[in-house]
């Protein structure tokens, strides 16, 4: 499954060439995981591989809209199919301006103190995840894991670790390239 996901990610989500990232940093590649996560096989693979990384005490998954939306849905469905159902939640970029005026959607499926995992498509500096952690904790949930499809290895894991949140990842850039292009055994 990991090798197949790597191939799909390289085909649909990975683009070589100079780009400016959300963080303002320059990079020699762009990774748009949504292209793979919104493809049926890609969603199935991502859902299962992220689910496999979750600690046993996690009861639900969530993340910042828009990047995490297909991820949390895929993991929630995979969890149900694997007899460990986990509800999902989405964290808004801005509080809802009416009704309950909340940041989290899907919160009614959780109890205060529930341990949840935060999902992210790609981690560069970790800034988005630190914002999400604050909002999730303010809503009464406990962040028990932070999981990403791709860790760019550009400081995000270290920033999260400083706050006590080790980053779990399906791939780093080097691991993604290696998994998609395995070397024949000699």
């Amino acid at each position: 499954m990991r090798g197949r996901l790597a191939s799909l990610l390289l085909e649909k989500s990975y683009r070589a060439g100079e780009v400016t990232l959300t963080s303002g940093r320059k990079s020699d590649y762009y990774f748009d995981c949504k292209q793979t996560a919104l493809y049926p096989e890609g969603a199935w693979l991502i859902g299962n591989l992220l689910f496999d990384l979750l600690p046993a005490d996690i009861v639900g998954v969530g993340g910042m809209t828009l990047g995490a939306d297909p991820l949390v849905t895929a993991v929630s469905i995979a969890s149900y199919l694997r007899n460990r159902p986990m509800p999902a939640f989405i964290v808004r970029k801005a509080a809802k301006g009416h009704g309950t005026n909340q940041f989290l959607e899907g919160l009614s499926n959780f109890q205060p103190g529930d341990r949840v995992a935060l999902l992210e498509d790609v981690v560069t500096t970790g800034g988005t995840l630190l914002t999400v952690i604050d909002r999730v904790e303010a809503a009464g949930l406990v962040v028990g894991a932070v999981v990403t499809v791709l860790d760019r290895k550009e400081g995000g894991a270290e920033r999260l670790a400083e706050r006590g949140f080790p980053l779990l990842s399906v791939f780093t850039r080097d691991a993604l390239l290696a998994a998609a292009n395995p070397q024949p055994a000699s």
Side-chain angles (χ1 to χ4, degrees), residues 84-95:
R84 189 177 152 207
M86 295 181 185
F89 64 89
I90 301 296
V91 180
R92 292 174 173 273
K93 292 184 180 180

Side-chain angles (χ1 to χ4, degrees), residues 87-89 102 104-112 114 139 141:
F89 64 89
Q102 62 191 7
L104 272 65
E105 293 296 337
L107 195 56
S108 66
N109 294 316
F110 296 89
Q111 300 297 317
D114 277 351
L141 301 175

Side-chain angles (χ1 to χ4, degrees), residues 10-163:
L10 287 181
E11 175 190 332
K12 297 184 172 299
S13 297
Y14 183 93
R15 300 289 174 259
E18 187 172 311
V19 295
T20 302
L21 305 172
T22 304
S23 64
R25 294 182 184 185
K26 299 277 187 202
S27 176
D28 64 349
Y29 74 99
Y30 183 68
F31 185 75
D32 182 4
C33 187
K34 289 180 289 302
Q35 301 309 310
T36 302
L38 293 169
Y39 182 73
E41 183 185 9
W44 183 80
L45 291 165
I46 287 170
N48 280 284
L49 289 167
L50 290 176
F51 177 83
D52 287 343
L53 291 175
L54 299 178
D57 63 347
I58 297 300
V59 301
V61 293
M64 179 73 82
T65 198
L66 179 73
D69 293 2
L71 306 180
V72 301
T73 301
V75 172
S76 184
I77 291 168
S79 74
Y80 179 81
L81 293 172
R82 292 172 67 179
N83 297 312
R84 189 177 152 207
M86 295 181 185
F89 64 89
I90 301 296
V91 180
R92 292 174 173 273
K93 292 184 180 180
K96 191 173 175 180
H98 59 282
T100 58
N101 203 34
Q102 62 191 7
F103 275 108
L104 272 65
E105 293 296 337
L107 195 56
S108 66
N109 294 316
F110 296 89
Q111 300 297 317
D114 277 351
R115 291 181 65 77
V116 298
L118 299 182
L119 308 181
E120 182 70 281
D121 53 357
V122 59
V123 173
T124 304
T125 66
T128 297
L129 281 166
L130 293 172
T131 298
V132 172
I133 288 168
D134 291 341
R135 290 179 183 172
V136 169
E137 289 178 338
L141 301 175
V142 175
V143 177
V146 179
V147 187
T148 188
V149 176
L150 180 74
D151 176 4
R152 292 179 63 98
K153 303 298 276 181
E154 294 183 24
E158 293 77 10
R159 283 184 72 196
L160 290 162
E162 287 171 5
R163 289 267 311 266

